[in-house]
Amino acid sequence: MSSPSEYSSASEHEESNDDETQNAIREDLKGMSFEEIMKLKEELGAKVYKEAVLGGKSSRPQRPKAKTDLKRLNKNRPREMTTRRQVPFLGAEHRVERKKNVELRDPRFDEKSGAYSAETFKKNYQFVSQIRAKEVGQLKKKLDEVEDEAEKHDIKDTMQRLINKNVEDKKWHTKQKQLKKERSVIQKKHDLGQQPHYLTKKERRAKELVAQFEKLKNTGKLNKHMEKRRKKNAAKDRKRIGIE
């Protein structure tokens, strides 16, 4: 088997012979007319002509490349991979630590996300009330199919919790509408140069109770509400005086 030094010396000798041949061809072409050169080019072909005159890649012998067989010897073994792959800048342990150190931010309480507006938040997520109403309907159907008392109790608690959340959201929106009306009245009086009246907490609470009373009266639920309030107050009185 020939050594690398012998192979390199042989290739250098072949390259020098190729250079001499190309120089001789160029000297011959100098004495030929343009028409003769074009005919020669047509006969030989453009590719062969360029390799003979200019010296293409195919005119010089190339060193055979060693083929790397990356096939698996067994289907249960892993495939051999080349070692000429760039090593990552950070090791695996450093990458894991960098991922762990990522700062998690809650947009509701983070100053970078802007100022929190309860009104905007409630408006954007108003569709959640519709989802809760659908869930209550699904739980009602499930309640008719369940026979276990403990599971029925859990379903009823979940339904009541969802209903209470929707009632609270509805009260909040009603209160915001009322506050907007009050602000508009105050602003009008300011524009007219009059002194506006600012409602106290006690006056606002009394106004809300009157509105609630009128609503229950119009819907026919006043008697039921009063009975519920009476039972609740009686239970508080019994607890206060120590009667079970």
Side-chain angles (χ1 to χ4, degrees), residues 68-81:
T68 56
D69 189 8
L70 300 178
K71 294 182 180 180
R72 293 178 291 181
L73 299 176
N74 190 337
K75 65 177 182 178
N76 297 324
R77 294 184 182 180
R79 190 185 299 276
E80 292 183 8
M81 301 302 294

Side-chain angles (χ1 to χ4, degrees), residues 15-44:
E15 287 177 2
S16 62
N17 291 336
D18 290 340
D19 293 338
E20 291 177 0
T21 304
Q22 288 173 7
N23 292 331
I25 293 171
R26 288 170 185 168
E27 290 295 330
D28 293 339
L29 291 173
K30 286 181 181 179
M32 297 172 65
S33 63
F34 182 73
E35 293 180 359
E36 293 175 347
I37 293 172
M38 292 302 293
K39 286 182 180 180
L40 180 64
K41 188 175 181 181
E42 289 177 0
E43 292 175 359
L44 296 176

Side-chain angles (χ1 to χ4, degrees), residues 164 171 205 212 223-241 243:
N164 291 341
K171 284 182 179 178
R205 178 60 180 163
Q212 185 181 2
N223 293 333
K224 186 178 180 180
H225 177 74
M226 296 300 292
E227 183 66 21
K228 189 176 179 180
R229 291 286 299 176
R230 187 187 64 78
K231 288 181 180 180
K232 188 175 181 180
N233 292 333
K236 284 183 179 180
D237 293 337
R238 287 197 299 271
K239 188 176 181 181
R240 182 163 49 85
I241 62 179
I243 298 175

Side-chain angles (χ1 to χ4, degrees), residues 49-63:
Y49 177 82
K50 285 182 181 179
E51 289 177 358
V53 178
L54 303 176
K57 292 182 180 179
S58 60
S59 62
R60 296 185 180 181
Q62 295 181 355
R63 187 173 181 178

Side-chain angles (χ1 to χ4, degrees), residues 192-225:
L192 295 172
Q194 300 175 359
Q195 180 64 31
H197 174 68
Y198 296 95
L199 293 175
T200 62
K201 289 184 180 179
K202 189 175 181 180
E203 290 174 343
R204 185 173 285 109
R205 178 60 180 163
K207 199 172 181 180
E208 289 175 359
L209 290 173
V210 170
Q212 185 181 2
F213 179 83
E214 292 294 334
K215 184 179 179 181
L216 291 170
K217 186 178 179 180
N218 295 331
T219 55
K221 298 179 180 180
L222 181 60
N223 293 333
K224 186 178 180 180
H225 177 74

Side-chain angles (χ1 to χ4, degrees), residues 20-202:
E20 291 177 0
T21 304
Q22 288 173 7
N23 292 331
I25 293 171
R26 288 170 185 168
E27 290 295 330
D28 293 339
L29 291 173
K30 286 181 181 179
M32 297 172 65
S33 63
F34 182 73
E35 293 180 359
E36 293 175 347
I37 293 172
M38 292 302 293
K39 286 182 180 180
L40 180 64
K41 188 175 181 181
E42 289 177 0
E43 292 175 359
L44 296 176
K47 187 175 180 181
V48 177
Y49 177 82
K50 285 182 181 179
E51 289 177 358
V53 178
L54 303 176
K57 292 182 180 179
S58 60
S59 62
R60 296 185 180 181
Q62 295 181 355
R63 187 173 181 178
K65 295 182 179 179
K67 294 183 179 179
T68 56
D69 189 8
L70 300 178
K71 294 182 180 180
R72 293 178 291 181
L73 299 176
N74 190 337
K75 65 177 182 178
N76 297 324
R77 294 184 182 180
R79 190 185 299 276
E80 292 183 8
M81 301 302 294
T82 178
T83 56
R84 295 185 179 182
R85 183 169 291 180
Q86 187 176 2
V87 180
F89 180 71
L90 294 175
E93 63 279 0
H94 293 90
R95 291 200 298 273
V96 172
E97 289 179 2
R98 186 174 62 180
K99 287 181 179 178
K100 287 182 179 178
N101 294 332
V102 174
E103 183 183 1
L104 300 177
R105 299 187 292 108
D106 192 338
R108 296 174 299 172
F109 310 107
D110 194 352
E111 294 180 355
K112 295 179 182 179
S113 301
Y116 171 71
S117 173
E119 186 175 358
T120 305
F121 181 82
K122 290 282 186 181
K123 282 183 179 179
N124 292 339
Y125 290 93
Q126 199 168 0
F127 65 92
V128 178
S129 300
Q130 299 175 0
I131 296 173
R132 291 196 195 108
K134 288 182 181 178
E135 289 180 357
V136 171
Q138 293 173 359
L139 290 171
K140 281 183 180 179
K141 293 179 181 178
K142 188 177 180 181
L143 188 63
D144 297 334
E145 299 172 357
V146 173
E147 296 180 357
D148 187 19
E149 293 296 330
E151 191 172 354
K152 278 186 177 182
H153 183 71
D154 293 339
I155 292 172
K156 286 180 181 178
D157 286 346
T158 306
M159 287 172 59
Q160 192 61 46
R161 189 162 55 250
L162 294 172
I163 292 168
N164 291 341
K165 285 182 178 179
N166 278 356
V167 170
E168 289 176 4
D169 287 346
K170 195 172 182 180
K171 284 182 179 178
W172 188 88
H173 287 291
T174 305
K175 188 176 180 180
Q176 293 303 312
K177 287 180 182 178
Q178 187 62 32
L179 289 173
K180 281 185 179 180
K181 287 181 182 179
E182 292 179 10
R183 293 192 195 104
S184 63
V185 171
I186 291 171
Q187 187 63 41
K188 284 180 182 179
K189 291 202 172 183
H190 272 300
D191 295 340
L192 295 172
Q194 300 175 359
Q195 180 64 31
H197 174 68
Y198 296 95
L199 293 175
T200 62
K201 289 184 180 179
K202 189 175 181 180

